[in-house]
Amino acid sequence: MKRWIFLILAIIIISIFGLIKSCQREKREVINVYTDREIEIFIGKLAKKYENINKEVAIKINSLNSIEDYDIIVTNEDSKIKDNKKKYEVKDFFEDNLVIIGRRKIDNLSQMLTSSIAIPNYKTNIGKTGLDILAKVEGFQEMAKNIQYKDDVMSSLESVDLYEVDYAFVTSKILPLAKNSEICYIFPENIGRSQILYKAYINLESNKNPKKFYNFMEEELTDKTQNKPKSEKNKVIKTN
């Protein structure tokens, strides 16, 4: 009988503790962050770490319908905020690198002439960067016949992981998600720029304090990855 009483008390105590924790989290100031799909997990890990340090703030990622409502926007596509009328502080956040993944390593891009290749569509910065590099390869016209254009980097990765194509253009931050692929080619500097710059747009009209979270992310990148952009630009803009 005593054992059952202790069990019931333990369940009640755990339930109360869980309720208290839930209420505490609901009282936290919520900072909404938009990120491009391929860096959502990467930013999410930084958000969790920040929440553990700052118990008064909760970070929600890609949970809103309108991009105008976000406190921070992290993207490599300036076009996503071109019609946004909010005021932002814009910072060069970090650079990621393009790599080619698949199942067979290559020494040069010409070895993909007859292979199927997944790449984000040319309207995206990542797709344009990758395609501009491929366009300089001798025999590109033949290669172009085997290129499959995808919506984004995630779609490219999924395509090669599902064995739909031989190779895919992706960014390095997304590599932990690859299940059936490995890095097959890393772009040397002399083949053209393969860096993708992500900018952070910090909403100056927000009634919260998103700058603190951004500063935390920047410090984490500087301390642990040393992947800080060569030149950091601070400016205030109003998009039209």
Side-chain angles (χ1 to χ4, degrees), residues 176-231:
L177 297 180
K179 298 176 180 178
N180 302 314
S181 310
E182 62 178 350
I183 297 176
C184 298
Y185 188 80
I186 297 175
F187 294 97
E189 292 184 3
N190 62 0
I191 205 169
R193 287 188 58 80
S194 60
Q195 287 78 32
I196 303 298
L197 175 63
Y198 287 86
K199 294 181 180 180
Y201 298 81
I202 304 165
N203 188 347
L204 295 177
E205 298 179 15
S206 173
N207 58 4
K208 305 164 191 176
N209 195 352
K211 184 67 178 293
K212 282 188 177 181
F213 176 52
Y214 172 80
N215 289 341
F216 168 81
M217 292 194 295
E218 189 178 60
E219 289 172 4
E220 284 292 301
L221 288 181
T222 302
D223 293 342
K224 295 187 175 181
T225 68
Q226 297 300 311
N227 199 24
K228 193 175 181 180
K230 295 178 181 178
S231 61

Side-chain angles (χ1 to χ4, degrees), residues 76-214:
N76 74 86
E77 300 281 353
D78 293 342
S79 60
K80 289 185 177 180
I81 58 106
K82 68 178 182 180
D83 296 324
N84 197 328
K85 294 179 172 56
K86 296 286 181 67
K87 289 183 179 180
Y88 295 95
E89 179 179 2
V90 185
K91 301 191 66 142
D92 291 350
F93 185 23
F94 75 97
E95 283 186 342
D96 205 355
N97 297 300
L98 276 183
V99 297
I100 296 175
I101 63 173
R103 278 160 291 280
R104 187 177 63 183
K105 293 186 181 298
I106 56 175
D107 299 317
N108 58 71
L109 299 180
S110 297
Q111 291 178 302
M112 295 194 301
L113 282 181
T114 58
S115 301
S116 53
I117 306 167
I119 189 170
N121 72 74
Y122 194 76
K123 293 181 180 179
T124 66
N125 285 336
I126 295 174
K128 183 179 186 302
T129 300
L131 204 58
D132 285 351
I133 292 173
L134 288 181
K136 298 175 183 177
V137 177
E138 186 176 352
F140 171 71
Q141 295 302 322
E142 184 66 27
M143 181 185 291
K145 299 175 184 177
N146 299 312
I147 293 177
Q148 296 183 19
Y149 295 99
K150 305 296 179 179
D151 292 336
D152 53 27
V153 179
M154 286 289 291
S155 300
S156 293
L157 181 141
E158 290 166 358
S159 186
V160 75
D161 260 358
L162 293 173
Y163 298 92
E164 296 173 348
V165 294
D166 300 314
Y167 297 101
F169 276 68
V170 301
T171 46
S172 64
K173 285 291 186 292
I174 206 176
L175 290 175
L177 297 180
K179 298 176 180 178
N180 302 314
S181 310
E182 62 178 350
I183 297 176
C184 298
Y185 188 80
I186 297 175
F187 294 97
E189 292 184 3
N190 62 0
I191 205 169
R193 287 188 58 80
S194 60
Q195 287 78 32
I196 303 298
L197 175 63
Y198 287 86
K199 294 181 180 180
Y201 298 81
I202 304 165
N203 188 347
L204 295 177
E205 298 179 15
S206 173
N207 58 4
K208 305 164 191 176
N209 195 352
K211 184 67 178 293
K212 282 188 177 181
F213 176 52
Y214 172 80

